[in-house]
Amino acid sequence: MQTIELEQRYTSGCYSKRDVAIVRAQGARIWDEDGKAYIDCVAGHGVAIVGHCNPAVVAAITEQAQRCITCPEIFYNDVRARFMEKLVAVAPEGLQRVMLVNSGTEAVEGALKLARLSTGRSGLVAAQRGFHGRTMGALSTTWEAQYREPFAPLIPDVTHVPYGKLEAMAQAIGDSTAAVILEVVQGEGGVNIGDGDYLRAVRTLCHERGALLIVDEVQTGFGRTGRMFACEHHGLLPDLMAVAKGIAGGVPMGAVLLGERVQHITPGVHGTTFGGNPLACAAGIAAIDYMLEHDLPGESRRKGAWLLERLRTLDSRLVRDVRGLGLMIGIELRTRVTPYLKALMQQGVMALPAGRTVIRLLPPLVISDEELEMVAGAVERVLTAEAVHA
Ligand SMILES: *Cc1c(COP(=O)(O)O)cnc(C)c1O
């Protein structure tokens, strides 16, 4: 318990923490200080796509740490060049250039800035229940009031429209709209699965009216939904795509991918000290190679379909809906999820909320079938037990 007391003394207070200290992680498992193991369907908020401490990632960063850890983008770098090539090779068609950053919110921030730069317009349209990060620009496009309101005034010219309603979107995109930003599956907002016709129609509207389409694949990217990127389910071609989370096997990294409609980029217009550092790039090369060699998008599709079907047979009055795409799964309850997340932890399974009433499962895509069965069993026990209290 020493760790908890020590950290509690110094922590900012920004987080509501669970009463456990994690000290080790491997594959789809994490261990606490007392040696208790958990199956990890939090996975660092969906980061550990290739598994915790993936051996290929560990080897790559160990080797790179001895050659060169930091190198800003005012110089060229061998590892960065190879990483960019690899990222563009797996990205949706038409995304040809890369701005490397260090987190999801920075990727969104970069996409918003480049959209304003490129169009010379300032307006941004985002979706209700969307989540795009916590820095001031990205936060302005995030929907949830409790994240935004304490920090007002945020950046102006942001409109939020209902997700999936084309008419409202058509009304919101005007002459001064720089970009529309959307998730393909809303993660934080409740695992809301976007409709392909809607998403493609938004793209058409953007193009007709001179705006850019930013797709936020920070959570859905790198195989999470059963395709390398969720856009691929719908043949959706973004002008800008923000990625992060699983991109570098757990090492902090993000990227903005740019299509040909993004223009007017001149040296000095945007930048970051750590962006494109060789350590993260080496991890990113190893992570993407691993995803391709082990067909993690395919694994995600197969395992996700199995888990979804298994959870849909759950006979529980608590469950309102079970939905998901690949290994991005939401179990919507008729009540608040917090006590059930606690009960799951006692059963040895870590899970996330998505809003107040949805349990979200984001396991590493390398999770074994046996571990997946253990997750399903724990969820079943917890949601069919009489005695779960707050
Ligand atoms: C997590 C997330 C972000 C923010 O990423 P950070 O790395 O926490 O800044 C942005 N968009 C989506 C869709 C996310 O899931």
Side-chain angles (χ1 to χ4, degrees):
M1 282 296 117
Q2 232 179 346
T3 301
I4 294 178
E5 279 162 23
L6 186 62
E7 188 170 327
Q8 197 54 39
R9 187 180 308 158
Y10 297 107
T11 189
S12 62
C14 287
Y15 297 92
S16 87
K17 289 172 181 283
R18 301 184 193 190
D19 206 15
V20 61
I22 300 302
V23 294
R24 194 159 68 82
Q26 185 68 55
R29 309 260 180 149
I30 56 176
W31 284 267
D32 71 14
E33 267 186 323
D34 304 325
K36 180 175 176 186
Y38 303 85
I39 302 177
D40 189 16
C41 297
V42 170
H45 292 291
V47 165
I49 278 178
V50 297
H52 288 287
C53 296
N54 180 292
V57 173
V58 171
I61 60 182
T62 304
E63 196 261 337
Q64 187 60 37
Q66 290 166 341
R67 273 210 311 138
C68 179
I69 293 177
T70 197
C71 171
E73 284 220 28
I74 58 168
F75 303 116
Y76 294 95
N77 172 262
D78 56 340
V79 186
R80 185 193 302 131
R82 282 197 291 123
F83 175 68
M84 286 176 166
E85 180 186 37
K86 200 164 284 291
L87 183 59
V88 165
V90 297
E93 190 188 313
L95 299 173
Q96 302 279 350
R97 287 172 295 150
V98 186
M99 165 84 199
L100 293 173
V101 295
N102 313 288
S103 67
T105 198
E106 269 181 87
V108 169
E109 205 73 36
L112 299 176
K113 285 183 73 179
L114 296 181
R116 281 189 166 180
L117 184 74
S118 178
T119 58
R121 302 170 173 191
S122 62
L124 299 167
V125 182
Q128 293 175 5
R129 298 193 177 184
F131 182 87
H132 303 294
R134 309 272 206 155
T135 54
M136 290 299 235
L139 181 62
S140 306
T141 61
T142 287
W143 163 248
E144 177 64 40
Q146 76 179 41
Y147 296 155
R148 275 189 299 139
E149 279 171 4
F151 304 102
L154 297 174
I155 65 167
D157 294 348
V158 180
T159 312
H160 286 92
V161 296
Y163 188 63
K165 299 274 193 289
L166 192 59
E167 222 159 277
M169 183 61 85
Q171 275 170 21
I173 305 174
D175 291 346
S176 64
T177 304
V180 172
I181 180 164
L182 291 174
E183 294 156 274
V184 178
V185 180
Q186 292 187 317
E188 292 283 325
V191 190
N192 307 315
I193 301 168
D195 174 71
D197 288 338
Y198 166 73
L199 293 165
R200 282 187 302 270
V202 173
R203 176 177 188 270
T204 304
L205 277 173
C206 285
H207 286 210
E208 284 168 1
R209 299 181 188 181
L212 299 175
L213 175 64
I214 303 171
V215 175
D216 180 347
E217 290 243 20
V218 170
Q219 189 162 145
T220 50
F222 300 102
R224 171 60 62 196
T225 70
R227 301 275 175 200
M228 189 54 105
F229 295 98
C231 281
E232 295 167 29
H233 288 286
H234 309 300
L236 182 65
L237 301 174
D239 297 307
L240 288 148
M241 186 168 86
V243 294
K245 293 209 161 94
I247 188 171
V251 175
M253 186 184 222
V256 196
L257 288 124
L258 322 181
E260 62 183 16
R261 295 181 73 232
V262 182
Q263 290 164 1
H264 309 302
I265 296 180
T266 51
V269 84
H270 187 47
T272 150
T273 299
F274 288 125
N277 73 85
L279 192 72
C281 290
I285 291 171
I288 294 176
D289 279 344
Y290 189 93
M291 292 168 199
L292 295 173
E293 279 161 21
H294 296 81
D295 185 23
L296 291 193
E299 288 292 290
S300 173
R301 213 152 53 231
R302 176 178 71 76
K303 291 167 184 171
W306 180 87
L307 186 56
L308 204 58
E309 193 170 316
R310 174 81 163 70
L311 293 173
R312 280 185 172 147
T313 64
L314 255 174
D315 185 20
S316 168
R317 284 172 45 237
L318 286 166
V319 178
R320 174 173 283 151
D321 189 29
V322 180
R323 53 183 179 262
L325 200 59
L327 279 174
M328 182 168 180
I329 289 183
I331 306 163
E332 185 174 353
L333 304 186
R334 294 179 199 283
T335 175
R336 295 176 64 99
V337 295
T338 316
Y340 299 94
L341 295 176
K342 279 190 191 148
L344 272 174
M345 184 170 130
Q346 277 155 14
Q347 295 275 336
V349 172
M350 296 296 193
L352 281 165
R356 268 173 281 278
T357 59
V358 178
I359 297 175
R360 181 171 37 147
L361 304 175
L362 298 175
L365 309 186
V366 297
I367 190 170
S368 70
D369 292 350
E370 190 192 359
E371 286 165 332
L372 219 51
E373 175 57 50
M374 288 160 75
V375 171
V379 170
E380 180 161 31
R381 282 193 297 282
V382 163
L383 293 182
T384 55
E386 297 294 322
V388 171
H389 298 296

